[in-house]
Amino acid sequence: MKENSQLDAKQILEKYDRESNYRVNIGKWAWVVSFLGVALTLFHLYTGYFGTLPSQQQGAIHLGTALGLMFLLFPAKKGLQKKQKTVPWYDVLLAFTAIYVTYHKIIFFESILQSRISGYGTLDVIISILGILLLLEATRRTVGLPIVIVASVAILYAVFGNFMPTQILSHPGFAVDRITTDLWYKEIGIFGTPIQISAKFIFLFLFFGVILVHTKIGQFFNDIALALTGRFTGGTAKTAVVASALQGMVSGSSVGNTVASGSFTIPMMKKSGFKPEFAAATEASASTGGQIMPPIMGAAAFIMMEYLGVSYGTIMLAAIVPAVLYFTGIFIGTHFEAKKIGVIGLPKAQLPVFKELMVKNGYMLLPLFIIIGTIMVGFTPQRAALMGIFTAFLVSLIRKDTRMSVKKVFLVLEEGARVALPVIAAVGTAGIIAGVVSITGLGAKFAASIIALSGGILFFSLIFTMIACIILGMGLPTTANYVVTATIAAPVLINDFGVLPIAAHMFVFYFGIVADITPPVCLAAYAGAGIARANPFKSGVTAVKLAIAAFIIPYIFIYNPILLLQDITPIRLIISLLTAIIGMTAVSSAVIGFFIRSSYSWERLILFIAGVMLIVPDLVISLIGLLLLLGVWYIQKQRKDDSGEMKARLSV
């Protein structure tokens, strides 16, 4: 049964997660893949400890080796990885060509720097064109076609934009040789900030996540969640929320976390009485929130740190309250759904004992505490990741079933490189888009368009920005989505509307993430539906309802950044957090349709309005919201039970 479950999970990952479609049987090329993968991971560990190379050289080794691995591991067409028994000759040729054209930047580093002044030669132009084309093809294989289309359109716009009518964002066109060499050789393009951050920080944190997987910390998180919540009303769904929040801190992948955690939680939820669509939606919405959950969050958070010029600790602190409210909303939503349909908790005898779990396996949390502590005392994320990796390795030695042999260590080093490949491809291609924005001045034209459409009103500009982020998020990975929107949309909010920079960047970050659960293209919800055998679209709609906090909170912290812990006193923080949690209770009740009993349509509307008013960090507005909430509570308290209503026998 367990083997069948693992097989189903792998098939679902291959269907909805492009990065899982890599070759397993590669014949004689296996040793080359192992060598490149281990070497790439060791390179990042070495430079993380002893210091990174100049950004262009560090980025070239990072991207070049990764491109070689992508062509060796990922077939040209989805599904071929099961048919091919080795790496075809053309992919071998592409792999080593990709390695050469990127390492060319290292071999001829000084002459390339001189060419920035004297001009690039024909060979430089050819290599830049080859490099861009190979990056786009590798990205198509590992990430998918949508981001490649966006990047290709951006390049075409840069080259042929002067032929466009003035009203369609025209600009002076750039020659092919100039645009390609600028994107390939300068810091404004492929080897710009995103790939530099990936080479310094993101790779190490991804490897940290791989190490933690091999300590079986995921199962430990599931057991903790079950011990804490399993006995309460709808305990299986609450277990899914807590487990996904804990695992999301480590993985930062919506689809991957949905499948990994959902293989355990979704069948459990269905067995306890939840509908398949609700079970899939609960897991998908909770897993998607992993990218906003400190301490690790998603890869985009590290790029945000660089864009804003603040420490990663600042990003972590700003993300805490919104993350708490996000998961609180989902948690409470599962409670109201359970009360509505009569799902009770699990018998105590079936649950693990929290105290025993902590005594036996509590040490497994040490790497996470090391990461948090190291960052908060002022060390760089790079050093924090290294210390976390070292601690996790020591933790793996404690138990026999997690202890690594020499062979296992090499396999883990190789896996660390493989897991990073889609992220490297995404940030490299996102660099193309960001570079075109910088070269052509597209950002300023986009800003003018947003201001014109919104009539200079901040609220309308936020709506247009949200729509753009969600649409981009349907085709772009979260990290690439953030790079694009942080380059184009965030400056509009900051420069033209006076929004606090960290609030503007968090706004686009949030809406790029929720695209994973927003229909029609909601990959995390589709993955959850695959495990639950549920309707994918209905699962996506339900996931949006459960994750409603993610659609409300960003608007709140734009107007009042208290929720991001900006300019706040302890008393104001406590009051704001308390009222916001009560507000999330009201909002969750409204979308589920149950408070202390089933709600009428007008009651749900009042509950929703009351909830939003409570989330707004303003004392007077929150008090009005509280009065509305108490009014609905009193009305429902006086009303007799609906004849067909099922009530849970246990409550939190």
Side-chain angles (χ1 to χ4, degrees), residues 34 38 214 406-416:
S34 296
V38 171
H214 289 278
V406 174
K407 182 180 179 181
K408 182 69 177 291
V409 169
F410 278 97
L411 289 174
V412 170
L413 290 169
E414 180 187 338
E415 185 181 344

Side-chain angles (χ1 to χ4, degrees), residues 215-284:
T215 64
K216 298 189 177 180
I217 196 171
Q219 182 58 50
F220 178 52
F221 283 157
N222 289 340
D223 291 340
I224 288 177
L226 193 58
L228 289 174
T229 62
R231 68 185 185 276
F232 298 122
T233 300
T236 54
K238 291 171 181 174
T239 296
V241 176
V242 175
S244 296
L246 292 173
Q247 289 201 36
M249 291 190 302
V250 177
S251 71
S253 169
S254 302
V255 176
N257 196 20
T258 298
V259 174
S261 183
S263 299
F264 164 73
T265 60
I266 289 175
M268 192 168 59
M269 282 187 275
K270 288 175 63 179
K271 187 177 180 180
S272 67
F274 286 105
K275 294 179 180 179
E277 286 76 16
F278 189 86
T282 300
E283 182 56 53

Side-chain angles (χ1 to χ4, degrees), residues 2 36 41 107 237 261 263 266 370 399 412 416 438 624:
K2 185 177 180 181
L36 291 175
T41 302
I107 299 169
S261 183
S263 299
I266 289 175
I370 291 292
R399 283 168 49 183
V412 170
S438 175
I624 296 172

